[in-house]
Amino acid sequence: MAEASAEARTGTGPAFRVEGLTKVYGMGEVAVHALRGVDLEIPTGELVFILGTSGSGKSTLVNILGGLDRATEGRVFFRDLELTAASDRALTFYRRDSVGFIFQMYNLMPSLTARENVALVTEIDRDAMRPEEALAIVGLEDRLNHFPAQLSGGEQQRVAIARAIAKQPEVLLCDEPTGALDSKTGIRVLEAINKVNVELSTTVVVISHNADMAAIGDRTLFMSDGRIVNETRNARRQAPSSLAW
Ligand SMILES: Nc1ncnc2c1ncn2[C@@H]1O[C@H](COP(=O)(O)OP(=O)(O)OP(=O)(O)O)[C@@H](O)[C@H]1O
Ligand SMILES: [Mg+2]
């Protein structure tokens, strides 16, 4: 039987719709055209990778999807919400309620334990999971009372993932989540991201410099000079544990 598409698995419309998106930083002679016309749909429940050289616009695109940055031209929708027309207040609610972010740097509070770092978000959100539950999803149920300095890089990144998913966001946006990690540790992090996508049906976007990694996703977008220049679809998603780089 053919693998069901992400959208068929979840039975809903696209999570994101992007039309003619451009982003220019600065003005006049110093203007940088970071995005030069991006059209894109990301189905709900998809695990999509974005590859491309440094400076090709990957982070700019994902920051706009996450409501961290504003478009210069074009339209971006998250479901029915037009991010490009939303007020700052609406964008803040969108980021808080619907988006989880993972960056290369884990940004954990050094003076708080793993559980307390996750509790920072779960305490302000009525619908959030318990910190213990979120940490169990990323395989850290026996590290609850460790401080960041007592955890490996991969474990710290998994605490960051637990923190991002604890509020049960509809989308998880990851900007080089394994960039600072060795292969073995990076695979544990990808396993956690994959599990969030499969078990919580979270739509996940992962920026990476590593083309091999994209084998675990549904689809790969290739960016160059502010445009999506190619895309490939995986007939079958590989298990993160089968990766090596
Ligand atoms: N805040 C900013 N102000 C000015 N220029 C910026 C800003 N952010 C990004 N740029 C420029 O926009 C272009 C795209 O940057 P972006 O960070 O999206 O690239 P990237 O594909 O994520 O690169 P990398 O792989 O190095 O992270 C680059 O030329 C960058 O210098
Ligand atoms: Mg980047």
Side-chain angles (χ1 to χ4, degrees), residues 24-227:
V24 184
Y25 289 109
M27 287 168 75
E29 285 182 11
V30 295
V32 176
H33 292 258
L35 297 175
R36 296 173 182 270
V38 170
D39 297 300
L40 174 65
E41 260 193 28
I42 301 179
T44 299
E46 189 174 54
L47 173 53
V48 60
F49 278 76
I50 302 180
L51 301 180
T53 49
S54 180
S56 58
K58 305 180 298 294
S59 296
T60 303
L61 173 59
V62 166
N63 288 343
I64 292 173
L65 292 179
L68 288 175
D69 203 349
R70 292 272 191 182
T72 302
E73 275 179 71
R75 304 178 84 188
V76 178
F77 293 86
F78 171 72
R79 301 188 182 283
D80 296 330
L81 174 66
E82 186 180 349
L83 301 180
T84 37
S87 64
D88 286 347
R89 188 177 150 80
L91 271 193
T92 301
F93 281 122
Y94 163 67
R95 282 196 304 271
R96 196 192 65 189
D97 296 339
S98 304
V99 190
F101 291 99
I102 310 283
F103 299 101
Q104 185 168 334
M105 294 305 160
Y106 326 122
N107 302 318
L108 301 177
M109 300 288 284
S111 59
L112 301 180
T113 64
R115 187 210 311 261
E116 290 163 349
N117 265 282
V118 178
L120 277 182
V121 283
T122 58
E123 276 167 7
I124 55 173
D125 185 341
R126 268 180 292 118
D127 302 323
M129 300 177 197
R130 289 180 307 114
E132 294 79 5
E133 199 183 331
L135 285 160
I137 289 173
V138 299
L140 290 178
E141 58 277 9
D142 56 355
R143 293 286 190 282
L144 298 176
N145 298 315
H146 285 58
F147 291 93
Q150 300 170 323
L151 297 168
S152 73
E155 288 167 344
Q156 290 180 58
Q157 185 62 301
R158 284 186 280 146
V159 174
I161 295 173
R163 184 181 54 187
I165 63 163
K167 60 180 183 179
Q168 312 208 44
E170 290 169 90
V171 297
L172 182 63
L173 303 177
C174 313
D175 195 344
E176 301 192 41
T178 65
L181 305 172
D182 62 62
S183 159
K184 188 161 160 278
T185 316
I187 285 166
R188 293 299 304 274
V189 167
L190 290 177
E191 280 173 337
I193 289 171
N194 185 60
K195 192 169 174 192
V196 170
N197 172 252
V198 172
E199 294 183 8
L200 307 178
S201 298
T202 309
T203 305
V204 181
V205 181
V206 184
I207 294 176
S208 173
H209 272 114
N210 182 326
D212 295 335
M213 222 179 255
I216 73 164
D218 295 298
R219 188 162 62 122
T220 309
L221 308 172
F222 296 87
M223 291 194 70
S224 175
D225 196 21
R227 295 186 178 89

